[in-house]
Amino acid sequence: MKHAPEPAHRHGGAERCAILLVNLGTPDEPSAPALRRYLAEFLSDPRVVEIPRAVWLPILHGIVLRVRPAKSAAKYASIWTAEGSPLKVWTEKQAKLLTGYLGERGHPVLVRAAMRYGQPSVASQLDALKADGATRILVLPLYPQYAAATTASVFDAVYAWAARTRRVPELRFVNHYHDDPGYILALGRCIEDHWMRNGRADRLVLSFHGVPERTLRLGDPYHCECQKTARLLTERLGLRPGQVLVTFQSRFGKAKWLEPYTEPTLVQLAQQGIKRVDVACPGFTSDCLETLEEIAQEARDAYLHAGGEEFHYIPCLNDRHEWIAALSDIAIRHLQGWPTQAVPDPAALQAQAERARQLGAPA
């Protein structure tokens, strides 16, 4: 295997720590060609679709990528902003804010954001961190609950990059933080702020991204971690279990996925006479297609059409202070033992000593 060229080696340079924040990904624009490229990469990942390649790839290229891109492009167009894809915008803001929060706490580490699918890619951002002198890198996926289809796929991308890299930096990985106190506090404050402005609904629905049910039987902890997040959040909000429902959204294909499904549950609530619901998506740290279109548009319409009267979508954590503070706590905890404090530049120290010598003062 041919290894990529290395950045110029700097003798005597200080060790530099870095963090790579990784989110799922987004197309470059809300167009069918862009969606075809994005979906081809996303749905070709064996972590995402666990069907034998010989069976799945002909279906993907012969059917899915001929039909789905145009439909998905229309959905993305409905949530696209002047700045671009919401998920990319929020993820980049989180990286910038995390840099500042860590710097204020005495940890001036490099922080970059990457997308598992689409741009900027994991490999390109790892290359950029190396070029900036990073010798130790913490990989922090923006998925609070571990799933093989998300978290492990990020790790796969890092391992693939490392396999092509001659001088591999020290690497650490954050697997999950579904029960982190700061994360739960941030979720709670987000919902409480919404209630202060809008009042409280009859039911709070916590919608997590779905995965095939078989992954639970195969040992994936995702379902259990979603349930624990929901339980801790329910306790934080002081609600009774019956006031909160945990559901799963974003089904793909005909296989059975984790239940109960979000949209049918909302329809059922409306038919039962529940007049108002609040819906939050704790598994998403940034608003994106799945929250802004699937929940705030499609699920809302289904609930109101079924007889519900008031539907409130509670935005994701995005750039909330409590969330960035929690993210910095998580990062610092996983950076322990690595020198993240500011280190004087050797060239600057040498120049300072030379000036002192010329002035006749002790260096």
Side-chain angles (χ1 to χ4, degrees):
M1 177 183 293
K2 187 176 181 180
H3 296 95
E6 289 291 316
H9 182 64
R10 289 175 285 190
H11 294 279
E15 300 283 352
R16 296 196 73 181
C17 293
I19 297 172
L20 184 69
L21 292 183
V22 187
N23 218 324
L24 183 73
T26 179
D28 297 324
E29 61 182 17
S31 68
L35 262 297
R36 189 170 294 108
R37 292 191 300 271
Y38 173 72
L39 291 174
E41 181 184 7
F42 175 45
L43 296 176
S44 294
D45 187 345
R47 290 281 194 182
V48 174
V49 181
E50 295 187 57
I51 297 175
R53 303 287 88 189
V55 175
W56 171 239
L57 292 181
I59 297 173
L60 174 62
H61 292 280
I63 301 175
V64 176
L65 294 180
R66 294 174 182 268
V67 176
R68 187 158 176 160
K71 295 180 179 179
S72 295
K75 292 183 177 184
Y76 271 100
S78 72
I79 58 103
W80 212 260
T81 72
E83 296 176 278
S85 165
L87 180 138
K88 186 175 182 181
V89 169
W90 287 122
T91 303
E92 289 176 347
K93 286 183 178 179
Q94 289 167 357
K96 184 175 181 180
L97 288 169
L98 181 60
T99 302
Y101 274 55
L102 290 172
E104 289 178 357
R105 297 176 64 176
H107 301 278
V109 302
L110 302 167
V111 182
R112 283 184 176 267
M115 298 293 153
R116 175 60 185 90
Y117 313 102
Q119 300 300 323
S121 68
V122 169
S124 67
Q125 293 296 68
L126 287 169
D127 284 337
L129 286 173
K130 279 198 66 179
D132 287 339
T135 55
R136 295 182 171 98
I137 301 175
L138 173 67
V139 180
L140 205 173
L142 289 169
Y143 313 125
Q145 296 78 25
Y146 177 96
T150 53
T151 315
S153 180
V154 168
F155 299 166
D156 287 346
V158 176
Y159 301 148
W161 171 83
R164 299 189 300 269
T165 301
R166 181 174 299 279
R167 188 179 182 187
V168 180
E170 290 187 58
L171 296 168
R172 288 182 182 175
F173 301 87
V174 179
N175 276 44
H176 55 188
Y177 39 93
H178 63 287
D179 56 357
D180 178 78
Y183 162 65
I184 299 298
L185 171 65
L187 290 173
R189 291 277 177 82
C190 185
I191 294 171
E192 289 165 346
D193 286 352
H194 177 84
W195 285 345
M196 288 181 64
R197 294 190 302 270
N198 303 283
R200 186 179 298 188
D202 303 310
R203 295 289 188 278
L204 172 64
V205 177
L206 301 178
S207 180
F208 293 86
H209 199 290
V211 295
E213 186 185 59
R214 66 187 294 270
T215 62
L216 175 60
R217 299 194 302 271
L218 292 172
D220 199 312
Y222 180 73
H223 179 266
C224 299
E225 294 190 0
C226 291
Q227 296 291 345
K228 186 170 185 181
T229 296
R231 176 175 61 80
L232 293 173
L233 180 56
T234 299
E235 294 171 356
R236 170 69 179 75
L237 294 170
L239 298 176
R240 300 186 304 276
Q243 295 175 287
V244 181
L245 290 85
V246 176
T247 63
F248 298 90
Q249 63 181 88
S250 308
R251 286 177 289 166
F252 178 76
K254 296 182 179 180
K256 186 176 181 181
W257 284 41
L258 294 179
E259 295 180 319
Y261 302 139
T262 298
E263 189 171 306
T265 298
L266 291 168
V267 169
Q268 185 178 33
L269 288 174
Q271 294 172 342
Q272 291 172 350
I274 302 299
K275 299 300 181 183
R276 173 181 164 174
V277 295
D278 290 342
V279 182
C281 300
F284 298 89
T285 54
S286 301
D287 272 311
C288 55
L289 182 76
E290 287 79 4
T291 63
L292 298 174
E293 194 278 334
E294 185 179 354
I295 297 299
Q297 295 181 31
E298 290 186 4
R300 175 185 181 276
D301 290 346
Y303 173 75
L304 297 178
H305 183 74
E309 296 181 0
E310 206 172 336
F311 180 101
H312 289 256
Y313 167 64
I314 301 174
C316 290
L317 296 172
N318 295 328
D319 61 351
R320 290 184 63 93
H321 159 71
E322 299 92 346
W323 164 232
I324 307 302
L327 200 58
S328 63
D329 285 341
I330 293 166
I332 290 172
R333 186 163 65 246
H334 286 84
L335 288 167
Q336 286 186 15
W338 281 358
T340 59
Q341 303 295 331
V343 178
D345 179 63
L349 288 177
Q350 184 177 359
Q352 181 182 1
E354 178 62 22
R355 287 195 299 272
R357 186 189 64 77
Q358 293 174 352
L359 293 172

